[in-house]
């Protein structure tokens, strides 16, 4: 361990906490805390200006922002192997309480963060408020939405994937700013993934939202590479690399993801494997079930990810998006959870999305449409087992939808068994538009889709014992900073009545 005097001399005049602080995966008696020491976060070697030696990082948890009532103190070791990140897990706290936390390293004190524990698992809380977001491409716009999320009266944030994009960032970005040359290549190795996270996490609005609330996070495709599936890449500029090459890339991507997010030891990657599906109960009011729709899936049907027509392979009952073990885990959760609301943290749209408003079907193969049997199995089991109030919250599409989920989208008379709210991107795609030609086609070709919007933003959720309400919060622009936020539309789900209703 580095001696205190040497560490302080190294840190003198250098901010170690340039990437902020965070908390995540709250439980009734605790949470995980996070920070990463990075005095030179954009250093091309990915080491963020830190020495090749471990550093002691102390932390405090208190009942008050002034830290007069400290309830936990401890220390973690930030090592070069994990890019000088720390993930201390805090236990033994009171349920349903607000806490404050901070770090100390090399004589420096971090900003203060606010977090909270979940209610007791046997409690019946009256309500829960949270926001969900996804798809925050740095080069496509400013993170103003996170300033607005930080100002919301909510308890937590759910991030549904594409926290970074692996693609190169050049001076032709939609922000119109000059970018250091080390960002001009695609991320494929650990050093490059690390500095990509540094660029994103250096954004003040993102740091503000992390410091205000605990986050529950998962990844989608761009944390690794576009449209990856299990152990395979079918698209991109380097299609179908040898398995060992892609495994090495996945391992690097997973490690960088873990190093930069408030994840528990249970989510620490083991090479190209990472356990991301997990359940987080909010008393008996709701269970948040995070699933992983990337790691265990079959390759996309008919060798395509985008919309195509006449792909019977997508109906193959043997094809899976979740993998059999995860699917059985999910279905067992339907049986065993007594929650009033079942929240499914899902990466790509579960609803059928027909891109052809005529009698034919044209469907994308990357989301659940390419794995129709798996979708029917999940929604059918939810219906047969009497799952109460299943609601999917989803990212990926860069558009806002409110949808009824049918037991079987291939049967015209199939009942509605659940609801899905697809949230738009935070920035991906630039400014966006309220309605697009694609949106008109979707509404014409998908009667179960009740709302479409193509602006940028996030979704705020307020749920109580009687109903769920989703507010689609949108910004008029993201290619300049400082945009205001407004609620474009609101939809509710009534307790015991599957499907969405406009407010």
């Amino acid at each position: 361990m580095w001696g205190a005097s040497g560490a302080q001399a190294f840190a003198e005049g250098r901010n170690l906490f340039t990437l902020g602080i965070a908390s995540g995966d709250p439980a009734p008696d605790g949470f995980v805390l996070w920070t990463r020491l990075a005095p030179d976060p954009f250093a091309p070697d990915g080491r963020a200006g830190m020495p090749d030696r471990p550093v002691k990082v102390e932390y405090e948890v208190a009942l008050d922002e002034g830290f007069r009532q400290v309830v936990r103190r401890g220390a973690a070791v930030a090592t070069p192997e994990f890019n000088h990140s720390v993930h201390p897990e805090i236990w033994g706290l009171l349920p349903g309480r607000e806490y404050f936390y901070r770090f100390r390293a090399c004589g420096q004190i971090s900003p203060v963060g606010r977090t909270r524990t979940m209610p007791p698992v046997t409690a019946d809380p009256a309500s829960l408020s949270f926001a969900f977001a996804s798809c925050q491409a740095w080069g496509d716009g400013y993170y103003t939405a996170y300033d607005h999320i930080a100002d919301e009266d909510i308890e937590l944030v759910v991030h549904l994937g594409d926290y970074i994009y692996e693609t190169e960032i050049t001076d032709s970005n939609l922000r119109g700013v000059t970018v250091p040359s080390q960002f001009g290549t695609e991320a494929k190795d650990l050093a490059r993934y690390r500095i990509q996270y540094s660029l994103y996490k250096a954004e003040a609005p993102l740091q503000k939202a992390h410091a205000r609330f605990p986050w529950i996070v998962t990844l989608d495709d761009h944390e690794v590479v576009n449209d990856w599936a299990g152990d395979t890449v079918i698209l991109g500029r380097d299609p179908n690399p040898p398995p060992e090459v892609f495994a090495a890339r996945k391992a690097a991507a997973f490690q960088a993801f873990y190093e930069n997010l408030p994840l528990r030891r249970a989510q620490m990657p083991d090479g190209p494997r990472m356990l991301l599906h997990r359940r987080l109960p909010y008393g008996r009011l709701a269970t948040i079930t995070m699933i992983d729709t990337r790691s265990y899936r079959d390759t996309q049907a008919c060798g395509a990810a985008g919309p195509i027509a006449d792909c019977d392979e997508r109906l193959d009952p043997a094809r899976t998006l979740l993998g059999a073990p995860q699917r059985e885990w999910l279905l067992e959760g339907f049986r065993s959870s007594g929650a009033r609301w079942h929240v499914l943290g899902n990466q790509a749209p579960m609803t059928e999305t027909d891109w052809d408003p005529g009698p034919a079907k044209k469907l994308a193969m990357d989301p659940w449409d390419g794995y129709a049997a798996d979708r029917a199995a999940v929604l059918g089991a939810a219906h047969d087992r009497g799952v109460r109030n299943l609601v999917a919250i989803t990212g990926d599409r860069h558009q806002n939808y409110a949808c009824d989920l049918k037991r079987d989208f291939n049967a015209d008379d199939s009942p509605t068994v659940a609801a899905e709210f697809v949230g738009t991107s935070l920035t991906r795609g630039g400014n966006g538009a309220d309605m697009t030609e694609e949106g008109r086609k979707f509404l014409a070709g998908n009667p179960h889709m009740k709302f479409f919007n193509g602006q940028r933003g996030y979704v705020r959720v307020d749920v109580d014992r009687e109903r769920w309400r989703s507010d689609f919060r949108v910004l008029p622009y993201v290619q300049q900073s400082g945009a205001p936020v407004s609620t474009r539309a609101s939809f509710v789900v009534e307790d015991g009545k599957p499907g969405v209703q406009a407010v």
Side-chain angles (χ1 to χ4, degrees):
M1 184 76 65
W2 207 2
S5 59
Q8 289 183 341
F10 161 79
E12 187 173 352
R14 313 174 83 195
N15 179 13
L16 297 181
F17 298 103
T18 58
L19 304 181
I21 58 174
S23 68
D25 273 21
D29 66 342
F31 32 73
V32 60
L33 302 179
W34 172 91
T35 195
R36 179 160 75 88
L37 308 181
D40 186 7
F42 305 156
D45 64 3
R47 294 170 58 179
M50 290 296 293
D52 189 21
R53 64 189 73 183
V55 176
K56 181 180 179 181
V57 179
E58 299 172 301
Y59 57 84
E60 290 181 315
V61 179
L63 294 174
D64 64 300
E65 196 168 4
F67 288 83
R68 291 178 295 274
Q69 301 179 70
V70 174
V71 295
R72 287 291 183 278
R73 284 191 176 94
V77 178
T79 66
E81 290 75 18
F82 285 96
N83 214 201
H84 290 94
S85 65
V86 293
H87 302 75
E89 296 184 28
I90 312 301
W91 303 98
L93 302 180
L94 296 175
R97 288 290 301 268
E98 181 179 81
Y99 290 92
F100 298 87
Y101 63 96
R102 65 186 178 185
F103 296 92
R104 184 193 304 269
C106 304
Q108 293 186 18
I109 299 177
S110 75
V112 173
R114 184 185 73 171
T115 189
R116 64 182 304 117
T117 51
M118 294 291 215
V121 293
T122 57
D124 188 17
S127 62
L128 165 65
S129 297
F130 67 94
F132 67 89
S134 63
C135 304
Q136 55 193 51
W138 187 95
D140 283 10
Y142 287 88
Y143 286 179
T144 309
Y146 279 126
D147 280 324
H148 297 299
I149 288 176
D151 291 337
E152 297 275 12
D153 183 15
I154 57 176
E155 294 179 46
L156 56 89
V157 173
V158 180
H159 197 283
L160 295 166
D162 293 345
Y163 192 95
I164 66 162
Y165 281 70
E166 82 287 6
T167 50
E168 64 271 18
I169 305 173
T170 68
D171 292 349
S172 61
N173 64 82
L174 296 182
R175 292 187 179 202
V177 299
T178 301
V179 181
S181 60
Q182 60 264 39
F183 296 101
T185 61
E186 183 175 346
K188 293 184 180 181
D189 59 30
L190 183 56
R192 183 65 185 85
Y193 280 116
R194 282 172 166 173
I195 65 169
Q196 197 84 331
Y197 277 98
S198 292
L199 183 67
Y200 282 56
K201 294 190 72 68
E203 291 291 301
L206 178 58
Q207 292 189 18
K208 182 179 178 182
H210 269 300
R212 288 280 288 174
F213 312 109
W215 283 41
I216 301 168
V217 302
T218 190
L219 54 72
D220 189 22
D221 57 341
H222 286 287
E223 288 88 351
V224 182
V225 64
N226 187 39
D227 292 331
W228 68 278
D231 296 324
T232 307
V233 182
I234 66 161
L235 298 177
R237 282 157 285 182
D238 298 308
N240 298 313
E244 65 275 10
V245 173
F246 185 53
R249 181 174 185 175
K250 245 200 324 185
F254 285 1
Q255 178 164 338
F257 179 73
Y258 175 78
E259 290 172 350
N260 285 281
L261 275 302
L263 291 161
R264 294 181 180 269
R265 280 186 295 274
Q267 279 63 63
M268 182 183 292
D270 179 12
R273 300 286 179 263
M274 190 174 191
L275 179 66
L276 286 167
H277 57 281
R278 58 206 193 276
R279 297 187 185 95
L280 296 96
Y282 192 84
R284 291 187 291 155
L285 179 67
T287 293
I288 301 173
T289 302
M290 303 299 288
I291 58 174
D292 179 353
T293 62
R294 285 287 159 196
S295 296
Y296 314 109
R297 65 159 67 193
D298 292 320
T299 302
Q300 290 87 342
C302 298
I308 60 173
D310 302 321
C311 177
D312 290 340
E313 185 185 356
R314 75 180 191 88
L315 304 174
D316 184 345
R319 288 182 49 75
T320 181
L321 185 73
L322 298 173
Q326 183 183 198
R327 184 176 61 245
E328 291 309 308
W329 170 86
L330 175 62
L331 300 186
E332 171 59 23
F334 287 166
R335 186 196 66 79
S336 61
S337 173
R340 185 180 298 262
W341 297 92
H342 292 261
V343 187
L344 192 63
N346 171 52
Q347 287 79 67
M350 183 174 276
T351 188
E352 182 171 276
T353 312
D354 188 354
W355 299 61
D356 184 348
K361 282 189 178 181
K362 186 178 182 182
L363 304 170
M365 296 299 104
D366 190 61
W368 289 77
D369 278 339
Y371 306 82
D374 229 18
R375 175 173 61 197
V378 170
L379 295 178
H383 184 256
D384 292 343
R385 300 180 188 191
V387 173
R388 186 172 183 173
N389 302 327
L390 177 62
V391 181
I393 57 174
T394 302
D396 181 71
R397 191 55 67 81
H398 316 155
Q399 296 163 339
N400 285 314
Y401 311 157
C403 302
D404 293 341
L405 290 179
K406 301 293 184 177
R407 174 173 181 149
D408 184 354
F409 285 97
N410 293 310
D412 292 338
D413 59 350
S414 184
T416 297
V417 300
E420 181 174 28
F421 295 101
V422 178
T424 187
S425 64
L426 196 100
T427 60
R428 183 63 164 173
N431 290 334
D434 181 42
M435 180 55 66
T436 66
E437 182 60 29
E438 190 172 89
R440 284 185 278 271
K441 289 180 180 179
F442 285 172
L443 292 174
N446 300 277
H448 49 276
M449 183 181 289
K450 309 301 182 182
F451 173 69
F452 173 94
N453 167 268
Q455 292 172 287
R456 305 292 160 247
Y458 57 95
V459 181
R460 178 200 160 107
V461 174
D462 295 287
V463 57
D464 59 29
R465 295 166 188 159
E466 285 73 43
R467 70 174 191 171
W468 169 298
R469 175 178 174 132
S470 288
D471 294 329
F472 291 97
R473 305 278 280 160
V474 301
L475 283 68
Y477 54 85
V478 293
Q479 290 171 223
Q480 299 81 36
S481 63
V485 69
S486 62
T487 299
R488 172 60 183 82
S490 299
F491 283 79
V492 300
V493 181
E494 301 288 347
D495 178 31
K497 299 179 182 178
V500 302
Q501 305 172 46
V503 175

